[in-house]
Amino acid sequence: MEDGKIIDLYWERDQTAILHTEQKYGTYCRRIAGNILCDREDCEECINDTWFRAWNSMPKERPDLLRAFLGAITRNLSLDRYRRKHSAKRGNGEITYIFDEMRDCAGGDEPYHHIQRKELAEGISRFLSKLDTEQRVIFVRRYWYMDGIGEIADRLKISESKAKSSLFRTRKKLRSYLLEEGLM
């Protein structure tokens, strides 16, 4: 079913909207949640919360891109759940490692605090728009979808070392860009 029709179902408060959303975007949202949470039960709870949040927010908003709308909800819910679950275990897990990778680019505090600021988010978007496609895909797959280096390399048919060096160079460029723009 087309996104516009699914959104219409939400606006009509037709519960089949959730069924169609699950069918079309369930795998996509589970991948995002799974990459962040690495726990099947937490992932399923997060997906259910995503459908609930979409149901409750759809009458207020009419998203242009349903996939991006649902992905953002899933990602935010997953990160919140991860933070709650791991707040006492600071320093453990892949997510913390990914945030540590970005710390030098986004300043000394935890990056997710900075990313929430509108100016920084807009600055990062401008920076990403200037990258070539491969660099942008590598960067977004790592820091938005939280894919592992191996997954990224396999997806793009490149070596892991190329993916790592691309991420390193891109983080370095991002830091310089943010400094030049006065966002750090």
Side-chain angles (χ1 to χ4, degrees), residues 27-84:
T27 302
Y28 167 72
C29 290
R30 275 184 188 77
R31 180 169 174 88
I32 293 170
N35 283 348
I36 295 170
L37 298 169
C38 302
D39 180 283
R40 188 183 210 68
E41 287 179 22
D42 284 346
C43 181
E44 284 307 313
E45 285 182 38
C46 188
I47 295 304
N48 290 332
D49 290 346
T50 298
W51 305 153
F52 182 71
R53 176 88 44 98
W55 179 263
N56 286 332
S57 58
M58 204 65 75
K60 298 173 199 134
E61 299 178 41
R62 191 171 189 91
D64 294 328
L65 299 170
L66 185 58
R67 178 182 169 101
F69 179 76
L70 295 169
I73 292 172
T74 303
R75 183 176 186 275
N76 292 335
L77 289 170
S78 298
L79 286 170
D80 288 346
R81 182 176 294 272
Y82 180 88
R83 286 183 201 117
R84 280 193 311 271

Side-chain angles (χ1 to χ4, degrees), residues 115 135 142:
I115 293 173
Q135 289 176 318
R142 181 67 172 162

Side-chain angles (χ1 to χ4, degrees), residues 9 16 25 38 50 57-58 66 99 117 124 156 159 163:
L9 291 174
T16 61
Y25 294 112
C38 302
T50 298
S57 58
M58 204 65 75
L66 185 58
F99 285 139
R117 291 189 357 227
I124 291 171
L156 298 175
S159 68

Side-chain angles (χ1 to χ4, degrees), residues 2-18:
E2 291 181 27
D3 288 356
K5 291 181 181 178
I6 295 173
I7 293 169
D8 289 342
L9 291 174
Y10 276 104
W11 276 69
E12 294 166 8
R13 305 310 279 169
D14 184 334
Q15 292 182 5
T16 61
I18 295 172

